[in-house]
Amino acid sequence: MPFFAVIGLGWGDEGKGKIISVLSDEFDIVARFQGGSNAGHTVYIKDKKVVFHQVPSGLVHPNKTGIMGPYELIDMELLIKEINDIEKGGINIKERLYIDGRCPLVLPYHKFIDELEEEKRGLLGTTKRGIGPAYSDFTARTALRICDFKNDRDLNERFNISWEWNSILLGGRYGQPPPDKKSILEKLKKHFEFIEDRVIDTVEFINKSDKNGKNILIEGAQGALLDIALGTYPYVTSSHTTSGGASSLLGIPPYKINRIIGVLKAYATRVGKGPFPTECRDEFGEALRKKGEEYGATTRRPRRCGWLDLVASKYSCMINGVTEIAITKIDVLSDIKKIKICTAYEINGKKTEALPISISDWFNAKPVYETFDGFEIKKDYKSFDDLPENLKKIIKFVEEYLNTPVKIISIGKEKSQILFK
Ligand code: IMP
């Protein structure tokens, strides 16, 4: 089992970090393949809260090696802060971390443009970490990459191209002066010195490690429904968040990822704007937010909350080739009399189990629910068989609907509150 992936099935924040923490015996190397500082995995190190944004969260476990793959966006300033914060918590991670030389950079003007564009285009509710503008720069082939710092000529040439392109955008679209070229470049050079010895060719490294029998965990960030091509466009992030993305973006053959764990929260959440058919904009949604502590790890924004949406989850299982499901935060649904699960949408009077494509259809999708009797999580259960019968019925229903086995069930905050089926 050299490669296995942990992928979110929703709009992010499914509890992937928690699932990775119980799989820590099963991998030697953990690799991030997309996104950047928009991600947020909260981890507690000796009661101190540390949030992993760019560094793979699996690195919190000792003796693991972490990889930031070629398509991960690097914000060097924030990365240095993140590494220092984690190390202050008593965990040395820098010496276990490798960054690919191909990684594109998030530059200060990308973050500024992200803010300006939110106003201009209308809110998508981005994290304002410069993700969209930095990936735009990259796909326009005007970006600056980590490897450019290894050679002054490359650095000056590439930085000029990126700076010029973004200055035109800043001036023409937003009426802003060009960013201060000299000071940005000076700062970047300083930042690079800090990470220079961690920069390698991770594609070579990961494929060699595979040959040498190492187990490699692929750590997804965000979720399948935020995928740039397959998600709820335009309310998506700017990278490929699926298992297929992991293969192309890490440079590993697709057939090698043969265990794909889809992480499904027992209810749905979304942070930022965009369609969310099962959203509960009422007291119940508020109660879920409070009980589930649903506030963004990166931006602290309150997350929107609603019922589990199996229509969207089934699509996520399909596009990722999910082989097993991990359900998280089941305890948050404890003590609710009747539990609803969305099993179809009604769009313009027609019932369907297929996901909409157009954004108007998405916003018109009304959930069709099945209702289940609630359950009470009373104590720490030792095995799946001990769980309340009503909960077992719900899990069986989820398995049948998604045609995928549920193998991991999280019923509380502690690591010991994770059951394997
Ligand atoms: P961006 O990735 O900052 O451009 O934001 C685009 C959309 O993705 C917004 O709705 C964000 O709230 C959402 N998003 C980005 N990263 C995460 C994440 O890690 N968890 C949940 N939502 C995210």
Side-chain angles (χ1 to χ4, degrees), residues 209-268:
S209 303
D210 169 38
K211 271 206 187 100
N212 294 335
K214 299 283 185 210
N215 291 316
I216 299 156
L217 167 70
I218 296 165
E219 179 174 312
Q222 290 87 47
L225 300 173
L226 287 174
D227 184 274
I228 180 75
L230 302 171
T232 50
Y233 190 90
Y235 299 93
V236 289
T237 191
S238 297
S239 62
H240 297 282
T241 56
T242 59
S243 57
S247 152
S248 71
L249 304 176
L250 287 171
I252 50 180
Y255 63 84
K256 292 216 167 177
I257 311 173
N258 52 12
R259 182 183 177 201
I260 298 162
I261 303 169
V263 185
L264 183 67
K265 191 150 60 181
Y267 51 97

Side-chain angles (χ1 to χ4, degrees), residues 96-140:
R96 295 185 283 127
L97 180 67
Y98 291 113
I99 304 165
D100 197 276
R102 302 168 183 84
C103 291
L105 289 170
V106 176
L107 300 179
Y109 43 75
H110 293 133
K111 288 188 266 194
F112 187 39
I113 292 171
D114 201 356
E115 273 181 36
L116 296 168
E117 190 56 25
E118 280 283 274
E119 282 169 30
K120 189 91 182 169
R121 164 201 59 212
L123 281 182
L124 289 186
T126 75
T127 58
K128 299 191 178 158
R129 294 296 176 97
I131 303 299
Y135 274 131
S136 299
D137 224 359
F138 187 61
T139 50

Side-chain angles (χ1 to χ4, degrees), residues 44-341:
Y44 288 86
I45 306 170
K46 293 181 201 145
D47 291 337
K48 189 175 177 279
K49 185 174 154 185
V50 179
V51 185
F52 283 64
H53 292 287
Q54 297 179 68
V55 173
S57 75
L59 213 52
V60 73
H61 308 288
N63 308 321
K64 310 291 177 196
T65 300
I67 290 199
M68 297 171 72
Y71 204 72
E72 195 179 337
L73 284 178
I74 309 292
D75 182 326
M76 289 197 287
E77 185 169 11
L78 291 180
L79 177 62
I80 294 167
K81 185 178 178 314
E82 187 176 329
I83 291 173
N84 286 336
D85 282 353
I86 297 168
E87 297 212 332
K88 265 185 227 147
I91 302 188
N92 287 339
I93 55 158
K94 193 179 166 200
E95 69 218 27
R96 295 185 283 127
L97 180 67
Y98 291 113
I99 304 165
D100 197 276
R102 302 168 183 84
C103 291
L105 289 170
V106 176
L107 300 179
Y109 43 75
H110 293 133
K111 288 188 266 194
F112 187 39
I113 292 171
D114 201 356
E115 273 181 36
L116 296 168
E117 190 56 25
E118 280 283 274
E119 282 169 30
K120 189 91 182 169
R121 164 201 59 212
L123 281 182
L124 289 186
T126 75
T127 58
K128 299 191 178 158
R129 294 296 176 97
I131 303 299
Y135 274 131
S136 299
D137 224 359
F138 187 61
T139 50
R141 289 151 292 180
T142 47
L144 183 66
R145 297 187 302 160
I146 289 280
C147 55
D148 298 328
F149 285 83
K150 300 253 181 195
N151 174 317
D152 276 346
R153 212 180 114 210
D154 286 351
L155 179 60
N156 290 324
E157 202 176 294
R158 298 302 311 166
F159 180 66
N160 272 335
I161 292 171
S162 169
W163 176 86
E164 193 185 351
W165 184 249
N166 285 281
S167 297
I168 292 169
L169 187 61
L170 277 166
R173 188 161 164 85
Y174 311 109
Q176 295 287 336
D180 183 348
K181 201 171 172 180
K182 197 162 162 250
S183 78
I184 294 177
L185 192 56
E186 286 315 306
K187 258 195 192 160
L188 289 173
K189 282 183 184 167
K190 269 243 134 347
H191 293 154
F192 178 70
E193 280 171 20
F194 182 86
I195 59 164
E196 185 169 10
D197 65 331
R198 309 320 305 151
V199 178
I200 63 162
D201 178 347
T202 64
V203 177
E204 276 291 322
F205 179 86
I206 214 168
N207 281 288
K208 251 191 207 140
S209 303
D210 169 38
K211 271 206 187 100
N212 294 335
K214 299 283 185 210
N215 291 316
I216 299 156
L217 167 70
I218 296 165
E219 179 174 312
Q222 290 87 47
L225 300 173
L226 287 174
D227 184 274
I228 180 75
L230 302 171
T232 50
Y233 190 90
Y235 299 93
V236 289
T237 191
S238 297
S239 62
H240 297 282
T241 56
T242 59
S243 57
S247 152
S248 71
L249 304 176
L250 287 171
I252 50 180
Y255 63 84
K256 292 216 167 177
I257 311 173
N258 52 12
R259 182 183 177 201
I260 298 162
I261 303 169
V263 185
L264 183 67
K265 191 150 60 181
Y267 51 97
T269 60
R270 171 160 211 170
V271 61
K273 304 282 178 197
F276 182 0
T278 63
E279 180 174 15
C280 300
R281 293 189 211 189
D282 54 12
E283 279 172 14
F284 175 67
E286 184 68 33
L288 271 182
R289 182 178 311 125
K290 274 211 181 106
K291 198 168 167 194
E293 295 172 26
E294 296 293 351
Y295 297 90
T298 301
T299 58
R300 299 305 304 153
R301 287 177 293 175
R303 295 181 187 138
R304 299 154 64 194
C305 298
W307 294 111
L308 176 60
D309 181 344
L310 285 186
V311 182
S313 310
K314 192 169 189 170
Y315 171 83
S316 296
C317 284
M318 173 178 79
I319 62 175
N320 281 289
V322 168
T323 57
E324 63 192 85
I325 288 173
I327 302 192
T328 58
K329 292 188 125 174
I330 278 187
D331 50 304
V332 176
L333 295 185
S334 172
D335 302 317
I336 296 171
K337 277 210 169 64
K338 293 284 175 192
I339 291 175
K340 290 198 215 171
I341 296 183

